[in-house]
Amino acid sequence: MEPPLGVLLGLILAAASSAQNNCTCATNKWTVCGQNGPENCTCTLVGSNHKVDCSTLTPKCLLMKAEMMLRKEKRVQGHPHELLDIDGIYSPDCEDSGIFKARQCNQADACWCVNTAGIRITKKADKSLRCDELVRTSWIYIQLKHKKTSGALDAAHVANALQRLFERRYKLHPKYIAAIKYNSPLIQIDLNQHDSGKSKCDVDIADVAYYFEKDIKNNSIFHSNSTLTVSVNGDALDIEKIRIYYIDEKPPLFSMNEQAGDVIAVVIAVVLAAASGITVLGIL
């Protein structure tokens, strides 16, 4: 006996509603998604028509653009004199591929050059400023501090847990994880990535660092928005502090004095070697 027409319509609507609810971007909560066919879910970035590949991480430039759009909306909806903490965040100009444009400008016609992590590497100037290339951030150094645990943690187990985290959650190839060192309660993570060894399908270490920092600060970009938990042999590794340092293939074009009073990235002059001339850029 065939079911009544009303029952069939109800099943179709329920199936459609379920498909619509499942149409989400697992790797980016700042998206608008819609069902475009029975098995095709298309997601675009908030505030733009830029399509997002939800099978991998979204480039940092696009994330910052979406985040600024959402912050502006919250400011309009909230108290008119409400202040937002936007230090280190600005609305960037992105290439179609999602990477930062080498030159960034604000609404006050001030311009500056950035690296592939979107951090300013020159002092601000007018629109006549030229940025001939997008300087590569090839080394990212992450320093973590965890809360006290009930027992001592084995250094090898901590390194293995974080290695799995970066590979599975952030889809980072293990060849880009140069080292993970542990000396309770401090953890040091070195990520190295040069253009010569990076394929198009590999995630960028700057994107990985941005996702990781958001996770640690309980503002996950992933759609689940769940609190990040790292387990080491059953013990939770509760991170309470994070510092990320960005090392470029070329030194920045300003001094520490020129940077004072207008901070996007804090420049820490660390001489890695007498002939290297590399300067570390850090978000503290």
Side-chain angles (χ1 to χ4, degrees):
M1 181 176 180
E2 294 183 358
L5 179 59
V7 175
L8 286 174
L9 289 174
L11 291 173
I12 292 172
L13 290 174
S17 176
S18 176
Q20 187 69 23
N21 292 335
N22 291 331
C23 185
T24 56
C25 187
T27 57
N28 190 344
K29 67 181 180 181
W30 298 326
T31 53
V32 178
C33 301
Q35 204 75 32
N36 188 17
E39 297 182 358
N40 189 15
C41 177
T42 302
C43 298
T44 57
L45 199 68
V46 169
S48 73
N49 294 321
H50 198 290
K51 291 185 179 180
V52 176
D53 181 1
C54 297
S55 66
T56 187
L57 304 186
T58 303
K60 180 182 177 181
C61 186
L62 297 177
L63 292 175
M64 288 176 59
K65 200 170 191 68
E67 189 173 4
M68 281 301 296
M69 178 66 66
L70 292 171
R71 289 191 177 201
K72 287 179 181 179
E73 290 179 357
K74 288 182 180 179
R75 187 173 184 179
V76 171
Q77 296 171 2
H79 194 279
H81 301 293
E82 185 178 2
L83 296 177
L84 294 174
D85 179 14
I86 57 173
D87 289 341
I89 299 294
Y90 61 95
S91 183
D93 291 325
C94 311
E95 300 286 0
D96 292 338
S97 61
I99 65 172
F100 290 90
K101 288 187 177 180
R103 191 186 77 160
Q104 300 290 328
C105 299
N106 59 23
Q107 295 180 350
D109 293 337
C111 300
W112 60 94
C113 303
V114 300
N115 56 17
T116 53
I119 299 173
R120 181 159 64 90
I121 59 174
T122 65
K123 62 181 181 180
K124 290 186 177 180
D126 57 28
K127 286 193 172 183
S128 65
L129 176 69
R130 290 185 56 185
C131 304
D132 296 326
E133 63 174 328
L134 184 66
V135 177
R136 176 74 184 166
T137 299
S138 57
W139 177 20
I140 293 181
Y141 169 70
I142 303 173
Q143 187 179 76
L144 307 171
K145 181 182 179 182
H146 70 76
K147 295 180 181 179
K148 292 183 178 180
T149 58
S150 57
L153 298 175
D154 182 78
H157 293 162
V158 171
N160 290 336
L162 289 170
Q163 175 100 13
R164 289 194 301 269
L165 175 72
F166 277 85
E167 290 180 30
R168 297 175 183 178
R169 185 172 178 86
Y170 308 111
K171 308 180 189 304
L172 183 65
H173 196 286
K175 68 180 179 181
Y176 300 128
I177 306 174
I180 300 177
K181 299 178 181 179
Y182 176 61
N183 184 14
S184 181
L186 299 178
I187 304 170
Q188 301 171 358
I189 303 172
D190 286 340
L191 306 180
N192 275 285
Q193 187 179 63
H194 296 272
D195 279 335
S196 58
K198 181 177 179 293
S199 67
K200 291 183 179 180
C201 61
D202 288 336
V203 295
D204 194 282
I205 56 174
D207 303 336
V208 171
Y210 197 67
Y211 269 81
F212 184 55
E213 182 180 18
K214 290 290 186 183
D215 275 339
I216 295 299
K217 295 182 177 179
N218 293 327
N219 186 22
S220 178
I221 300 170
F222 292 98
H223 190 269
S224 62
N225 202 26
S226 58
T227 302
L228 176 67
T229 55
V230 180
S231 179
V232 181
N233 287 345
D235 291 326
L237 194 65
D238 192 358
I239 307 299
E240 61 178 350
K241 290 184 180 180
I242 178 172
R243 288 184 178 180
I244 303 179
Y245 303 90
Y246 299 82
I247 300 93
D248 294 344
E249 293 179 343
K250 295 183 179 181
L253 302 177
F254 56 74
S255 67
M256 289 286 285
N257 291 334
E258 290 171 338
Q259 183 72 346
D262 191 11
V263 178
I264 287 181
V266 178
V267 180
I268 303 178
V270 177
V271 179
L272 300 179
S276 67
I278 298 176
T279 303
V280 179
L281 299 176
I283 293 181
L284 304 185

